[in-house]
Amino acid sequence: MSKDETAPAPDLVALVGSRICHDLVSPLGAIGNGIELMTLTGGEETPEMALVNESLVNARGRIRFFRIAFGAANSGTVVRAGDLAEAVAGIETKAVVEWRIPGDMVRTDAKLALLALNCLASAMPYGGRISVERDAGGLVVTGRAERFRIENDDWALIDGRGTATPANIHFALLPEEAFAQGRQVTQAQLETEVRLTV
């Protein structure tokens, strides 16, 4: 069988991300089951157990976020509202996140929204508010704060300039994913507001 040269090349990086997340879900589930069994068999709710359980919840949220934001996104699949909520909770940020898109979401849109949200979270280490919503122009992710930390090298990646590193890879992936979907990312930076529109 000859290779179909008209078919788009698979996104190997995204597939690797999906595989890693998939393989980590099982051991995290096993830890959760172990905690539940200990509780059911009369184990005390010790501070140590509470810490393990809290860490498990955080890890599950991070895996959910990584799987949607960095994993493969097929246009025909949908992310459930509950999974989106868990993924948003898994983003490491001091800002309050206001997710204003109700219900389930097409996976390709969810990927763009989470990548943009991650970019804003990186620029807001002192807190603030980040809103995620739709308007006539597409997805709009807006950060509002009294103080931002804007790393010019990171934000240059959105315009196709600069060098990606492990720490700023989401800035590079956002425009790449948008381009793959036939969309474009625009950014606007004001003193107390930073906005990404896809």
Side-chain angles (χ1 to χ4, degrees):
M1 181 186 293
S2 62
K3 184 178 179 181
D4 183 0
E5 294 183 1
T6 62
D11 186 342
L12 297 180
V13 174
L15 291 173
V16 169
S18 291
R19 176 59 188 269
I20 291 171
C21 291
H22 178 270
D23 288 356
L24 287 174
V25 167
S26 292
L28 288 176
I31 294 170
N33 291 338
I35 292 173
E36 188 175 349
L37 285 172
M38 289 172 68
T39 304
L40 291 174
T41 55
E44 286 187 36
E45 181 66 28
T46 64
E48 292 81 7
M49 277 185 63
L51 179 60
V52 171
N53 197 45
E54 182 184 350
S55 298
L56 176 63
V57 170
N58 291 337
R60 282 178 169 165
R62 295 289 283 173
I63 291 296
R64 182 75 67 188
F65 163 71
F66 289 142
R67 194 172 197 175
I68 298 171
F70 300 132
N74 299 320
S75 58
T77 58
V78 172
V79 181
R80 294 177 303 169
D83 292 338
L84 280 168
E86 191 175 349
V88 171
I91 293 178
E92 223 174 290
T93 179
K94 292 185 178 179
V96 175
V97 178
E98 299 171 346
W99 189 270
R100 298 176 181 171
I101 303 175
D104 301 342
M105 196 173 189
V106 176
R107 193 178 186 94
T108 48
D109 280 358
K111 180 169 185 170
L112 290 171
L114 290 184
L115 285 171
L117 176 54
N118 201 19
C119 292
L120 265 296
S122 296
M124 300 172 66
Y126 314 108
R129 305 188 83 82
I130 304 173
S131 63
V132 182
E133 54 200 328
R134 290 188 196 274
D135 70 4
L139 295 167
V140 181
V141 183
T142 307
R144 296 178 179 88
E146 293 183 6
R147 185 180 172 197
F148 288 91
R149 186 179 69 197
I150 301 295
E151 301 289 347
N152 292 330
D153 290 344
D154 295 347
W155 290 85
L157 288 166
I158 292 177
D159 296 326
R161 299 176 287 111
T163 303
T165 68
N168 67 14
I169 190 63
H170 44 294
F171 287 92
L173 289 175
L174 175 60
E176 185 176 289
E177 178 63 27
F179 179 78
Q181 296 185 29
R183 302 163 82 168
Q184 186 177 6
V185 182
T186 59
Q187 57 175 302
Q189 296 182 14
L190 304 174
E191 187 176 347
T192 59
E193 181 178 297
V194 176
R195 177 175 299 170
L196 287 169
T197 304
V198 186

